[in-house]
């Protein structure tokens, strides 16, 4: 099996392709096609959930990343022992179904467009929220730090421990502790209500601006290193990203964040109201 060609970076939600492999996924079946519009869960940074839909009329109940090497065979999801794009491996989108279909059959692939749209809104909002949080926390740094695309100290990249995209939202968890204090962010005197209000004011302006969003797609394969771009009023910003997104910030309707803290953990919950 060759690496899967993917069309979801261009916004596609339908396609037609040949089944090139069928593999076991527990008691279910993993169908691999030559080209797919389905976005799989990424094994390296599993932030955006998998697309749902149908393949050959069968419900796709999950969609995962697979990797194949001659000496290793097929590995799925968290069992993949290398980072995406490692030499010597073929990278596959594995569509999980309850029923198998024969290799060589040409099938229609249909993504649940409503589910995709909600995840795309959540993912774009997640990036915007991270940038707004960076700006709101800029005055709390006591040392020089790496900057984000808008020139603010990049708290998001310095402190993030997990990020999960949800339909029309996201949940991001940050670690506040000794390592971050050494980098110059004490984090002891945060007024979370004020920080959230600052971020939300910025988010409202960005949504109202209708800033265009695009994905730079350097190749057709699943392993291509894609980049999210957004032309915000303060300037264009780019973030490496393999997910799906809206075309303009105005499609989000409104984006708000809420912050909570427990011990040395800061959690940001982002909500989109379309």
């Amino acid at each position: 099996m060759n690496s899967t060609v993917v069309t979801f970076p261009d916004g596609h939600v339908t396609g037609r392709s040949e089944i090139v492999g069928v593999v076991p996924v527990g008691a279910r079946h993993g169908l691999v096609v030559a080209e797919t519009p389905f976005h799989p869960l990424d094994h390296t940074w599993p932030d955006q959930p998998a697309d749902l839909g149908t393949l050959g009329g069968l419900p796709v109940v999950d969609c995962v990343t697979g990797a194949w090497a001659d000496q290793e065979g097929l590995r799925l999801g968290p069992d993949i022992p290398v980072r995406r794009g490692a030499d010597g491996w073929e990278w596959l989108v594995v569509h999980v179904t309850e029923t198998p279909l024969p290799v060589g059959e040409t099938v229609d692939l249909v993504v649940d467009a409503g589910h995709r749209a909600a995840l795309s809104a959540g993912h774009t909002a997640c990036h915007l929220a991270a940038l707004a949080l960076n700006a709101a926390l800029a005055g709390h740094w006591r040392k020089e730090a790496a900057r984000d695309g808008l020139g603010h100290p990049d708290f998001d990249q310095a402190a993030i421990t997990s990020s999960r995209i949800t339909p029309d939202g996201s949940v991001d968890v940050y670690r506040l502790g000794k390592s971050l204090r050494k980098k110059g962010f004490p984090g002891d005197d945060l007024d979370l209500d004020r920080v959230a209000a600052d971020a939300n004011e910025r988010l409202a302006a960005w949504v109202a601006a209708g800033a265009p969003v695009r994905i730079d797609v350097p190749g057709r394969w699943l392993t291509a290193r894609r980049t999210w771009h957004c032309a915000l009023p303060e300037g264009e910003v780019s973030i490496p990203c393999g997910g799906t997104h809206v075309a303009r910030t105005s499609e989000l309707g409104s984006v708000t964040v809420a912050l909570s803290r427990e011990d040395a953990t800061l959690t940001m919950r982002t909500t989109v109201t379309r």
Side-chain angles (χ1 to χ4, degrees), residues 31-247:
L31 306 183
V32 181
V33 297
E35 180 179 298
T36 182
F38 277 77
H39 178 279
L41 183 69
D42 189 286
H43 78 291
T44 303
W45 186 250
D47 56 346
Q48 181 169 333
D51 278 336
L52 303 175
T54 61
L55 186 157
L58 298 176
V60 174
V61 297
D62 199 2
C63 191
V64 300
T65 299
W68 170 275
D70 289 339
Q71 302 301 317
E72 298 283 346
L74 178 69
R75 303 289 188 91
L76 296 177
D79 292 332
I80 298 174
V82 295
R83 294 187 67 82
R84 188 176 67 181
D87 291 339
W89 292 79
E90 300 293 344
W91 296 86
L92 312 170
V93 177
V94 181
H95 311 76
V96 182
T97 62
E98 300 287 355
T99 306
L101 290 173
V103 172
E105 182 172 332
T106 298
V107 294
D108 291 317
L109 298 103
V110 181
V111 173
D112 182 329
H115 185 62
R116 161 75 68 78
L119 292 176
S120 297
H123 207 150
T124 300
C126 179
H127 288 334
L128 295 175
L131 292 167
L133 181 63
N134 287 347
L137 293 175
H140 291 269
W141 288 85
R142 300 295 179 262
K143 296 180 182 178
E144 185 59 34
R147 304 272 169 164
D148 65 18
L150 296 179
H152 300 119
D154 201 339
F155 172 84
D156 177 75
Q157 285 301 299
I160 190 85
T161 60
S162 70
S163 179
R164 295 293 180 268
I165 309 303
T166 61
D168 291 320
S170 66
V171 179
D172 295 276
V173 179
Y174 302 95
R175 177 63 66 186
L176 303 175
K178 184 183 297 184
S179 62
L180 198 60
R181 286 196 296 272
K182 288 182 178 179
K183 294 177 182 178
F185 191 90
D188 298 325
D189 59 345
L190 293 179
D191 181 336
L192 297 187
D193 289 339
R194 176 175 289 185
V195 172
D198 186 314
N200 285 330
E201 182 178 357
R202 197 174 302 265
L203 286 165
W206 288 347
V207 170
V213 176
R214 65 182 177 86
I215 304 297
D216 180 37
V217 185
R220 303 172 65 228
W221 308 110
L222 176 62
T223 52
R225 300 294 182 181
R226 296 177 288 277
T227 305
W228 176 86
H229 296 266
C230 185
L232 294 170
E234 295 91 331
E236 179 159 329
V237 63
S238 61
I239 297 173
C241 181
T244 63
H245 293 275
V246 301

